Amino acid sequence: MSGCCAPGAAPSGRVRRAGSRTGSGAPAGHGVERCRVPAQTFRMGDAHGDSRWDDGEGPVRAVTLDAFDIDATTVTNADFARFVDATGHVTEAESFGFSAVFHLALAAPDEAVMGRVPGAPWWLGVRGADWRRPGGPGSTTEGIDDHPVVHVSWNDAQAYCAWAGRALPTEAQWECASRGGHDGRRYPWGDELDAPDRCNIWQGRFPAENTLDDGHLTTAPVRSYHPNDYGLWQTVGNVWEWCADRWDPARGDDSRVTRGGSYLCHASYCNRYRNAARSSNTPDSSTGNTGFRTVAR
């Protein structure tokens, strides 16, 4: 894959500006490598005028955080399988019997398709779609253990965190970590997109044709591309990541924030593969492009 690191390999000679890695072991079997984000005051929010007025990315404001550690990658299928094996956890997609699958990723008979999502017809409600079967009942996670787990709700992510002795990041922690010590940048690496060499997003004509310039129709291995200067991989693109915060607590909204965009993001409809970008979903919702990473409690 042109311009990308091999899965599991770090680019040679990279220099980390401020963050440092900590050991990969963690309580209760959480085996994701962790990176240290130093205490700091950073500028949070959209400094480029890229956001929609209703996304709540502004105004740019100074936020002060204590030092914290955060997962270098999103939780993978293999990581989540260890949690399920240890606890017997049943995800909400499994309990409800369905989840949302992107239409080109469908691996299911016609009778499993419940219908299209109003306003977003590229999403299908699919019976039997869950974290073990991301495309529907005709799919498995065989061969993609190192890809991010998907079809996990905010509630499922919270259950994993309780088992692991971890927590979901706050929005401020997530954005600070994604910026990698660089205030004001549009992306973790700078202000120019430079796709497909930097992140896993959509190439082509959305939602009908993906030219696969980056080699991925859906998820990529969590250690594809290059980490940022704190050592975090793929904070933008690949999968949306659940955060701890409510979307709009002033309105009593129970929806939870997601950050980072996904493999479906494209400039023609979703310019949210940026450090400051926000989206949300209800805490019991699951889709084929949403996962999570954790922080220390």
Side-chain angles (χ1 to χ4, degrees), residues 26 30 94 100 110 131 181 190 192 200 209 220 232-233 238 240 245 255 263-264 270 291:
H30 180 68
E94 291 170 293
D110 290 345
W131 76 273
E192 300 302 319
N200 177 19
E209 179 191 7
L232 279 72
W233 299 76
N238 215 22
W240 286 101
D245 306 68
S255 292
Y263 58 81
L264 293 181
C270 173

Side-chain angles (χ1 to χ4, degrees), residues 193-275:
L193 181 56
D194 295 333
D197 295 335
R198 292 288 194 174
C199 59
N200 177 19
I201 58 175
W202 188 272
Q203 291 93 42
R205 185 171 54 89
F206 185 87
E209 179 191 7
N210 190 328
T211 56
L212 302 179
D213 294 348
D214 60 8
H216 305 290
L217 176 63
T218 60
T219 58
V222 297
R223 288 177 180 268
S224 301
Y225 307 99
H226 296 265
N228 72 5
D229 283 344
Y230 286 160
L232 279 72
W233 299 76
Q234 294 198 85
T235 52
V236 299
N238 215 22
V239 294
W240 286 101
E241 300 180 21
W242 287 112
C243 290
D245 306 68
R246 283 184 165 85
W247 171 254
D248 189 351
R251 297 182 181 179
D253 187 351
D254 195 43
S255 292
R256 304 293 172 153
V257 171
T258 55
R259 286 294 202 121
S262 80
Y263 58 81
L264 293 181
C265 279
H266 187 267
S268 65
Y269 89 104
C270 173
N271 182 28
R272 295 189 179 94
Y273 39 89
R274 297 174 287 106
N275 288 324

Side-chain angles (χ1 to χ4, degrees), residues 51-290:
S51 60
R52 289 166 45 105
W53 68 269
D54 56 345
D55 274 359
E57 294 183 28
V60 176
R61 63 274 190 200
V63 175
T64 300
L65 294 174
D66 293 332
F68 62 96
D69 73 55
I70 186 169
D71 293 344
T73 71
T74 50
V75 171
T76 67
N77 287 316
D79 298 321
F80 200 76
R82 284 192 291 273
F83 156 64
V84 170
D85 288 346
T87 65
H89 179 78
V90 177
T91 63
E92 291 192 295
E94 291 170 293
S95 178
F96 297 153
F98 69 94
S99 190
V101 176
F102 179 63
H103 72 122
L104 295 184
L106 180 66
D110 290 345
E111 57 268 24
V113 179
M114 303 164 63
R116 296 180 182 272
V117 175
W122 47 87
W123 282 113
L124 307 174
V126 179
R127 295 185 181 91
D130 54 51
W131 76 273
R132 300 179 193 271
R133 301 176 294 180
S139 64
T140 72
T141 57
E142 184 177 354
I144 56 171
D145 280 353
D146 61 344
H147 286 228
V149 65
V150 293
H151 296 293
V152 287
S153 69
W154 185 88
N155 294 323
D156 295 324
Q158 289 284 68
Y160 178 97
C161 288
W163 167 77
R166 303 281 288 171
L168 290 176
T170 66
E171 275 200 88
Q173 286 177 323
W174 189 96
E175 185 171 326
C176 180
S178 183
R179 291 188 177 280
H182 300 280
D183 257 5
R185 280 186 176 179
R186 180 177 278 122
Y187 308 110
W189 55 86
D191 291 335
E192 300 302 319
L193 181 56
D194 295 333
D197 295 335
R198 292 288 194 174
C199 59
N200 177 19
I201 58 175
W202 188 272
Q203 291 93 42
R205 185 171 54 89
F206 185 87
E209 179 191 7
N210 190 328
T211 56
L212 302 179
D213 294 348
D214 60 8
H216 305 290
L217 176 63
T218 60
T219 58
V222 297
R223 288 177 180 268
S224 301
Y225 307 99
H226 296 265
N228 72 5
D229 283 344
Y230 286 160
L232 279 72
W233 299 76
Q234 294 198 85
T235 52
V236 299
N238 215 22
V239 294
W240 286 101
E241 300 180 21
W242 287 112
C243 290
D245 306 68
R246 283 184 165 85
W247 171 254
D248 189 351
R251 297 182 181 179
D253 187 351
D254 195 43
S255 292
R256 304 293 172 153
V257 171
T258 55
R259 286 294 202 121
S262 80
Y263 58 81
L264 293 181
C265 279
H266 187 267
S268 65
Y269 89 104
C270 173
N271 182 28
R272 295 189 179 94
Y273 39 89
R274 297 174 287 106
N275 288 324
R278 310 172 75 230
S279 191
S280 67
N281 211 335
T282 57
D284 60 351
S285 293
S286 61
T287 67
N289 68 337
T290 303

